[in-house]
Amino acid sequence: MNKLISAMMTVFALILMIAAPSPAKTKEQKRAEVRTAAEQTLARLYKARPSARASIKAAAGYAAFSNFGMKILLAGGGKGQGIAFDNATKKVTYMKMLEVQAGLGMGVKKFRTIFVFETKDAMNHFVNNGWEFGGQATAAAKTGDKGGAYQGATAVMPGVWMYQLTDKGLALELTGKGTKYYKDDDLN
């Protein structure tokens, strides 16, 4: 009983730390933090999967997110920020992510997600309409004729591939249950 109370107090403390406001930052400081996190995300991907560098360079664009999630008993959620980068125009769009999940579990997870857009239309749809994802996919080493180019990624919709990294490296199981990606109106 004492262990359960202790665990619940720890989780409550974590929730308070997440919800606590951070010191006021300028728009440019916030943008710089998001860009730095995206660069670190790409660096981690390139280290885990060196072939991803050429795939991302040849793509219409990419989006890189740094995310934090927590699950307490039957419910969980997460949030994150990132950028979408158009390789042709070099335009950066700042974006946010929210996640809601249900099911038994407990824990805290930091993860990073990278989307690679094969076409300009796929990227424009993601950036301008946002994106909602419900379900789960398992990473495959080879999928059709694109498997070598996007090894370690999962096709999440036509023309869009997703990599997910955890603190341990490239995730073997990619989840996106109840996840929404959308433009960050405050930073754009």
Side-chain angles (χ1 to χ4, degrees):
M1 183 70 161
N2 286 338
K3 287 184 181 181
L4 178 60
I5 292 172
S6 178
M8 290 176 67
M9 293 299 287
T10 302
V11 169
F12 183 69
L14 285 171
I15 290 170
L16 288 177
M17 287 190 312
I18 293 168
S22 58
K25 296 178 184 170
T26 68
K27 182 176 180 176
E28 279 310 310
Q29 288 172 322
K30 291 176 187 177
R31 284 176 152 191
E33 285 180 4
V34 173
R35 283 191 310 269
T36 298
E39 290 167 5
Q40 291 170 346
T41 297
L42 287 175
R44 288 190 60 206
L45 174 62
Y46 298 155
K47 183 177 180 183
R49 187 68 63 189
S51 62
R53 184 183 303 270
S55 299
I56 289 172
K57 187 176 181 180
Y62 67 87
F65 290 85
S66 180
N67 308 311
F68 176 84
M70 182 182 325
K71 189 159 195 178
I72 305 166
L73 300 178
L74 297 175
K79 65 178 185 173
Q81 289 185 292
I83 63 167
F85 185 81
D86 185 315
N87 282 339
T89 65
K90 309 298 184 213
K91 180 181 179 195
V92 173
T93 303
Y94 295 87
M95 300 191 72
K96 290 185 176 183
M97 181 281 293
L98 288 176
E99 178 182 65
V100 177
Q101 55 180 294
L104 188 60
M106 188 171 229
V108 176
K109 177 174 94 166
K110 286 177 68 175
F111 59 101
R112 297 173 187 251
T113 306
I114 301 96
F115 293 94
V116 182
F117 306 101
E118 291 180 314
T119 66
K120 183 86 167 164
D121 286 342
M123 180 166 180
N124 286 339
H125 185 268
F126 180 87
V127 169
N128 295 318
N129 299 323
W131 190 54
E132 293 184 33
F133 185 68
Q136 150 178 338
T138 302
K142 192 158 181 89
T143 305
D145 62 344
K146 299 283 185 181
Y150 294 100
Q151 188 174 12
T154 296
V156 292
M157 63 186 295
V160 182
W161 293 81
M162 180 175 81
Y163 294 93
Q164 194 171 80
L165 301 166
T166 66
D167 289 337
K168 306 286 185 210
L170 192 64
L172 294 177
E173 188 168 274
L174 304 176
T175 59
K177 297 179 181 176
T179 306
K180 180 175 177 82
Y181 294 87
Y182 58 98
K183 281 185 181 179
D184 185 336
D185 293 331
D186 295 333
L187 297 183
N188 284 306

